[in-house]
Amino acid sequence: MSIQQIHTKEELQQYIGQPGKKLLFKHSTTCPISAKANEEFQAYTQHSDTPAAVVHVIEDRPVSNQIAEDFGIKHESPQIFLLEDSEVRWNTSHWKITQKAIKEAVEQ
């Protein structure tokens, strides 16, 4: 499944509004921790049917800030959210973003 890159608040609202489970990953393109988390995220999505999207926090800061506001969860990057029907079911950040952690969260 391909990963959608979200650039606008409109795209974000559209994505969040989709029914069912989906992943949303906040990625900092300048951070080595985020690069590692992104590898884990990509590895997970290659073998998964769960819709997934990424926001580049530096390039698309307004969208990144909107996520923190909408969900009331302090911004961190890298950071990943499991959403189900517009609600956050799980989130984690930094080194805790692993293929295994994502898989466990999605399968709960």
Side-chain angles (χ1 to χ4, degrees), residues 48-90:
S48 162
D49 295 332
T50 310
V54 63
V55 173
H56 289 176
V57 296
I58 296 166
E59 295 81 352
D60 294 307
R61 192 168 301 282
V63 181
S64 173
N65 293 342
Q66 190 68 45
I67 294 168
E69 261 177 58
D70 286 358
F71 299 147
I73 294 169
K74 186 171 90 71
H75 165 74
E76 298 190 67
S77 74
Q79 187 174 40
I80 193 165
F81 302 89
L82 173 66
L83 308 172
E84 190 168 8
D85 305 329
S86 308
E87 300 286 310
V88 177
R89 296 280 175 239
W90 170 83

Side-chain angles (χ1 to χ4, degrees), residues 4-18 24 53-56 59-71:
Q4 179 188 344
Q5 192 174 342
I6 295 176
H7 298 287
T8 67
K9 292 180 182 181
E10 291 71 33
E11 288 173 348
L12 177 66
Q13 294 311 329
Q14 212 172 0
Y15 182 72
I16 292 172
Q18 292 170 12
L24 181 59
V54 63
V55 173
H56 289 176
E59 295 81 352
D60 294 307
R61 192 168 301 282
V63 181
S64 173
N65 293 342
Q66 190 68 45
I67 294 168
E69 261 177 58
D70 286 358
F71 299 147

